[in-house]
Amino acid sequence: MPEGHSIHRLARQFTDVFAGERLAVSSPQGPFRDGAALLDGRVLLGASAHGKQLFLHVEGGLVLRVHLGLYGAWEFGGDETFTGASSIGAPRRVGEREAADDGAARHSAAPPPPRGAVRARLVSAHGWADLRGASTCTVEAEAEARAARDRLGPDPLAGPGPDWWEEEPAGGEEFARRLTRRRTPVSRLLMDQTVVAGIGNVYRAELLFRARLDPTTPGAALSEDQAHALWADAARAMAQGVRDGRIITTDPSGWPGGPLQLPEPEDAHYVYRRQGRDCRVCGAPVVLGEEAGRKLYWCTTCQS
């Protein structure tokens, strides 16, 4: 499932490409036909993200709220003014790396004929976006969208912008309160979107390793300082994901090409999908377990 950094990148791309543009909205597949009719012909005012939810704000007080789920993705294209990724979403389909702009095939203001199950299509004078496979795609009033956002926990990427923070970003106090009041294992709490919004399986494993926390530790056993440190590290790591377009959590000093060359996927993580391989820090084998039906990777030595 795409994690929070990808959704914030989507919000950036929609704002860059479509904000201020009047959109033709359709549903080539059909099920979103009524929602598309509500949006068709309206101007996109801007886009925002909170956790794994994308909000497209449209004139008239309407919001298109999208949750990509496990298989959702947006595909983009446009004329020579279009810049950015041509696809963002579903790691199983496009890989951890976003699909980059692939030249002439995407440099046309007119979208190609729909291929497969296109749930929603947005077209402006200079670009287009196709949505496939999303678990949620709904048109809501601003108040409804705000209520959906308010049901989520704080987002480490919320605030002045997705960049490196010198101080702890807003939301740390609320995160610490929600994390430390429960005896649920911290590995499960980090995946609970009502505790913290945007963290998925990759960031969960990597943040726990970076904090040297045993995944089974109850949230209530963490100190306030530990909770705040975990929040600040989540903000740093996810901000890097926004910047780079992929999840990289290892120390740049250990990258094979040096700190100025992003590592290949096999060198991007400490423990995620490295079961049976040596821990990069202590040499003990990384283990694979399960927490609430999701795979969990950790080092039993570093995280004891």
Side-chain angles (χ1 to χ4, degrees):
M1 181 182 297
E3 303 196 27
H5 73 293
S6 291
I7 311 307
H8 279 266
R9 285 178 66 83
L10 274 168
R12 270 188 175 186
Q13 182 143 313
F14 269 102
T15 297
D16 291 345
V17 177
F18 294 109
E21 297 284 334
R22 193 168 300 279
L23 302 178
V25 183
S26 60
S27 180
Q29 184 187 5
F32 186 60
R33 188 177 295 112
D34 291 344
L38 291 172
L39 300 175
D40 188 39
R42 297 178 186 262
V43 173
L44 179 71
L45 302 178
S48 62
H50 192 91
K52 300 178 183 181
Q53 305 249 5
L54 175 70
F55 301 86
L56 301 183
H57 306 271
V58 181
E59 68 175 344
L62 297 180
V63 178
L64 173 60
R65 180 168 64 88
V66 175
H67 190 303
L68 292 178
L70 285 172
Y71 304 107
W74 284 95
E75 184 178 7
F76 297 89
D79 61 20
E80 65 279 358
T81 67
F82 171 81
T83 59
S86 65
S87 183
I88 300 177
R92 286 181 174 83
R93 188 170 71 86
V94 300
E96 175 57 36
R97 298 175 186 269
E98 294 169 5
D101 183 8
D102 56 2
R106 294 286 176 262
H107 281 167
S108 172
R115 294 181 297 103
V118 178
R119 176 82 61 85
R121 167 168 282 186
L122 283 60
V123 183
S124 72
H126 300 283
W128 53 272
D130 281 354
L131 174 64
R132 305 170 188 275
S135 62
T136 299
C137 176
T138 184
V139 178
E140 299 173 335
E142 285 280 0
E144 294 175 288
R146 191 177 306 112
R149 183 189 298 253
D150 290 345
R151 287 192 290 270
L152 301 171
D155 181 346
L157 291 173
D163 207 341
W164 295 101
W165 283 278
E166 295 183 1
E167 298 180 357
E168 181 180 308
E173 288 289 343
E174 182 61 21
F175 168 73
R177 186 186 70 82
R178 296 185 186 208
L179 189 74
T180 60
R181 71 180 180 179
R182 295 169 61 179
R183 298 202 57 79
T184 305
V186 63
S187 56
R188 189 180 305 180
L189 292 172
L190 289 182
M191 295 282 280
D192 184 339
Q193 299 300 297
T194 67
V195 173
V196 55
I199 293 177
N201 214 26
V202 185
Y203 279 123
R204 184 259 299 263
E206 295 298 295
L207 291 170
L208 288 175
F209 178 84
R210 283 163 50 138
R212 302 298 192 265
L213 282 174
D214 184 328
T216 65
T217 303
L222 298 180
S223 67
E224 289 288 323
D225 286 346
Q226 285 177 304
H228 281 277
L230 191 57
W231 172 261
D233 194 42
R236 285 190 294 269
M238 296 177 74
Q240 182 178 350
V242 174
R243 184 190 68 190
D244 297 336
R246 44 187 292 230
I247 300 176
I248 301 173
T249 54
T250 48
D251 191 320
S253 65
W255 296 348
L260 299 181
Q261 182 179 333
L262 295 183
E264 293 300 317
E266 60 267 23
D267 296 306
H269 306 134
Y270 284 109
V271 292
Y272 182 72
R273 286 189 174 176
R274 298 193 71 249
Q275 67 271 25
R277 301 174 66 182
D278 291 349
C279 171
R280 298 185 191 277
V281 174
C282 74
V286 174
V287 301
L288 170 63
E290 186 174 295
E291 172 57 51
R294 299 295 302 274
K295 292 180 179 179
L296 177 61
Y297 307 82
W298 77 98
C299 173
T300 56
T301 299
C302 289
Q303 296 174 254
S304 60

